């Protein structure tokens, strides 16, 4: 059974070169924003030429690819550039829990992109006026009121302590526990304001917006360009220090921490095991390196490989998600413990988020450092942060780490 679809068929797609558009978030004409931006490059989009919601289940990535194949193979495409991200593109966001409903793919009507010295505008369907006209200027959120989400801080620390005990006395190596905060604004929250603040503050992260989920993730789950793939494994975290010397000391402590090295190894080993059967060659470093962001320091392992045959980026996603970086290991018991102890539905937090084009190229991250707008009330949003829990995790330290991970979205909302 294929997911339900609301789209015309076949699509008519035209990509044309355009002058450098400058600041990509500033070119979004209204709140209906889709985005994927890294170091100022990427794609932003608006409008909907096609959309589908994908049911939960083990075959959801296969269903997503089947829907896109049907849509893109029948499309009339005029794309003289032929670059990753030109022609028709689908933005997607999948739920963290494979059994949960709510995953979505959206093919926008207008896509504005910049990559490697090229800039383009893709239009799907008949053009209607100047698509770059700013219809509704963005307005920063005001009157913010914050409150605990599902669990208070003490209750979440208790959940962490319970997870530690389960790990010490069971067969579980690691789990990842998340918590949420809620924010209420005086007026509807405009995603463009959040995108602008996140791309300015966190240019090295992948800033995204898909169907009300907005964030800046440091974690590249998979990039596919032809037969080449890249991934960035992040696990093991400390908050930034107050001075450069403090930062250096924290980075060395992180590199030499048995707890954090163990947490990182779980994630790196799983990515290696998942990608090896798909690749003719694969490089995973033996030791992690340090990735320094404005709010935290991570242990990081950049992964590179060559696919052994034609595979869509969605095929690779199916092999990777959920990784130990956002779930734990072994996957089944870790996921069961998350469902028991978090006491909330993560929705699309910690699920894959990104884009795919008609050739199967694309970039997908893990939806971290993010907020999800309430579809019933756009003045409300939920923020999420999670921490990897292993046998020697300390609940107070994990709470401090979670607070640091909330910081990007709190800053984006508060300005």
């Amino acid at each position: 059974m294929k997911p339900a679809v609301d789209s015309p068929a076949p699509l008519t797609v035209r990509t044309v070169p355009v002058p450098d558009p400058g600041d990509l978030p500033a070119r979004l004409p209204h709140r209906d924003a889709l985005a994927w931006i890294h170091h100022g490059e990427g794609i932003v989009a608006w409008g909907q030429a096609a959309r589908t919601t994908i049911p939960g289940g083990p075959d959801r990535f296969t269903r997503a690819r089947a829907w896109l194949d049907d849509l893109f193979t029948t499309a009339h495409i005029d794309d003289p550039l032929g670059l990753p991200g030109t022609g028709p593109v689908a933005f997607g966001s999948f739920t963290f829990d494979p059994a949960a409903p709510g995953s979505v793919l959206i093919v926008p009507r207008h896509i504005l992109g910049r990559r490697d010295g090229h800039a383009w505008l893709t239009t799907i369907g008949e053009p209607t006026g100047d698509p770059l006209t700013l219809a509704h200027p963005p307005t920063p959120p005001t009157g913010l009121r914050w409150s605990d989400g599902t669990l208070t801080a003490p209750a979440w620390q208790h959940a962490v302590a319970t997870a530690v005990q389960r790990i010490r006395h069971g067969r579980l190596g690691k789990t990842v526990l998340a918590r949420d905060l809620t924010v209420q604004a005086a007026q509807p929250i405009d995603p463009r304001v959040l995108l602008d603040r996140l791309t300015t503050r966190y240019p090295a992260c992948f800033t995204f917006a898909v169907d009300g989920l907005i964030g800046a993730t440091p974690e590249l789950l998979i990039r596919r360009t032809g037969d080449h793939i890249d991934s960035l494994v992040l696990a093991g975290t400390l908050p930034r220090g107050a001075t450069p010397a403090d930062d250096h000391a924290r980075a060395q402590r992180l590199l030499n921490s048995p707890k954090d090295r163990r947490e990182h190894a779980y994630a790196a080993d799983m990515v290696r095991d998942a990608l090896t059967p798909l690749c003719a060659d694969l490089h995973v470093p033996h030791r992690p390196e340090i990735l320094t962001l404005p709010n935290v320091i991570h242990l990081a392992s950049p992964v590179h490989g060559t696919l052994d045959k034609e595979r869509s980026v969605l095929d690779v996603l199916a092999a990777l998600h959920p990784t130990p970086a956002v779930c734990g290991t072994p996957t089944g018991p870790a996921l069961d413990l998350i469902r028991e102890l978090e006491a909330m539905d993560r929705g699309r937090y910690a699920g894959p988020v990104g884009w795919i084009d008609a050739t199967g190229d694309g970039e997908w991250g893990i939806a971290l450092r993010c907020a999800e707008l309430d579809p019933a009330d756009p003045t409300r949003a939920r923020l999420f942060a999670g921490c990897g829990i292993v046998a020697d995790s300390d609940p107070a330290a994990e709470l401090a780490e979670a607070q640091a991970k909330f910081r990007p979205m709190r800053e984006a909302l508060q300005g």
Side-chain angles (χ1 to χ4, degrees):
M1 178 179 128
K2 291 182 180 178
V5 57
D6 177 16
S7 68
L11 301 177
T12 300
V13 184
R14 183 166 183 256
T15 296
V16 295
V18 296
D20 190 318
D23 181 25
L24 288 173
R27 305 310 298 269
L28 288 162
H30 44 71
R31 293 180 65 253
D32 177 19
L34 298 157
W36 181 268
I37 303 168
H38 181 233
H39 284 304
E41 298 200 331
I43 50 178
V44 296
W46 56 98
Q48 291 189 18
R51 176 192 177 102
T52 186
T53 300
I54 303 160
D59 62 344
R60 58 190 182 144
F61 294 107
T62 304
R63 290 186 177 201
R65 179 174 180 178
W67 180 76
L68 284 175
D69 285 349
D70 286 349
L71 200 63
F72 287 164
T73 55
T74 60
H76 303 300
I77 302 173
D78 178 10
D79 176 14
L81 277 74
L83 298 171
T86 62
V89 167
F91 286 77
S93 177
F94 287 81
T95 56
F96 164 76
D97 192 326
S103 301
V104 63
L105 288 173
I106 299 171
V107 179
R109 288 200 173 276
H110 304 285
I111 306 156
L112 180 66
R114 178 175 57 220
R115 178 189 178 100
D116 299 333
H118 300 275
W120 64 91
L121 177 67
T122 298
T123 302
I124 299 178
E126 292 300 320
T128 54
D130 182 0
L132 298 179
T133 300
L134 190 62
H136 302 285
T139 303
T142 59
L144 300 180
R145 301 194 308 273
W146 298 89
S147 59
D148 282 325
T150 308
L151 297 177
T152 64
W156 189 78
Q157 285 183 277
H158 179 72
V160 171
T162 302
V164 168
Q165 291 304 311
R166 299 282 185 88
I167 292 168
R168 289 176 179 174
H169 300 292
R171 291 178 295 175
L172 187 64
K174 171 188 173 181
T175 193
V176 179
L177 292 184
R179 64 183 302 245
D180 61 340
L181 296 176
T182 61
V183 61
Q184 176 82 53
Q187 300 293 332
I189 298 168
D190 194 321
R192 295 172 296 173
V193 175
L194 308 186
L195 288 171
D196 178 67
R197 291 172 175 175
L198 289 169
T199 55
T200 300
R201 177 78 172 149
Y202 298 90
C205 290
F206 299 86
T207 301
F208 60 87
V210 179
D211 202 35
L213 185 71
I214 304 108
T217 180
E219 189 141 357
L220 178 67
L221 186 55
I222 194 70
R223 175 192 295 120
R224 184 247 201 202
T225 310
D227 63 355
H228 186 79
I229 58 171
D230 302 283
S231 183
L232 181 63
V233 180
L234 300 181
T237 308
L238 281 177
R240 287 286 303 270
T243 65
D246 190 10
D247 270 348
H248 178 74
R250 287 172 182 242
Q252 294 307 305
R253 189 160 80 244
L254 196 61
L255 282 169
N256 295 316
S257 162
K259 176 259 183 189
D260 291 289
R261 289 292 293 271
R262 187 180 312 114
E263 181 184 341
H264 188 86
Y266 285 136
D269 290 348
M270 180 274 178
V271 169
R272 179 189 293 107
D273 293 345
L275 293 182
T276 295
L278 310 182
C279 291
D281 64 81
L282 184 70
H283 174 70
V284 182
H286 295 297
R287 288 176 53 86
E289 58 190 50
I290 289 293
L291 174 67
T292 301
L293 298 174
N295 59 321
V296 293
I297 303 168
H298 288 296
L299 291 180
S301 289
V303 176
H304 312 286
T306 304
L307 295 171
D308 62 357
K309 64 180 182 181
E310 177 70 22
R311 302 180 192 273
S312 161
V313 69
L314 291 177
D315 298 327
V316 187
L317 278 182
L320 283 172
H321 182 75
T323 72
V326 292
C327 180
T329 187
T331 302
L335 185 56
D336 288 341
L337 194 57
I338 288 169
R339 290 167 175 158
E340 175 189 347
L341 296 181
E342 280 188 356
M344 70 174 183
D345 177 8
R346 287 188 181 185
R348 292 176 290 147
Y349 163 71
V353 61
W355 62 270
I356 176 174
D357 66 16
T359 69
D361 282 343
E363 291 181 303
W364 291 75
I366 299 175
L368 306 175
R369 318 295 197 269
C370 63
E372 186 165 16
L373 299 183
D374 186 336
D377 180 1
T379 66
R380 290 175 56 84
R382 290 173 74 200
L383 283 67
F384 303 89
C387 300
I389 311 301
V390 292
D392 47 355
S393 290
D394 172 66
E398 300 300 339
L399 181 65
E401 180 180 322
Q403 293 296 98
K405 290 175 176 177
F406 277 127
R407 182 175 146 197
M409 286 310 304
R410 292 192 69 133
E411 289 176 341
L413 284 154
Q414 293 170 167

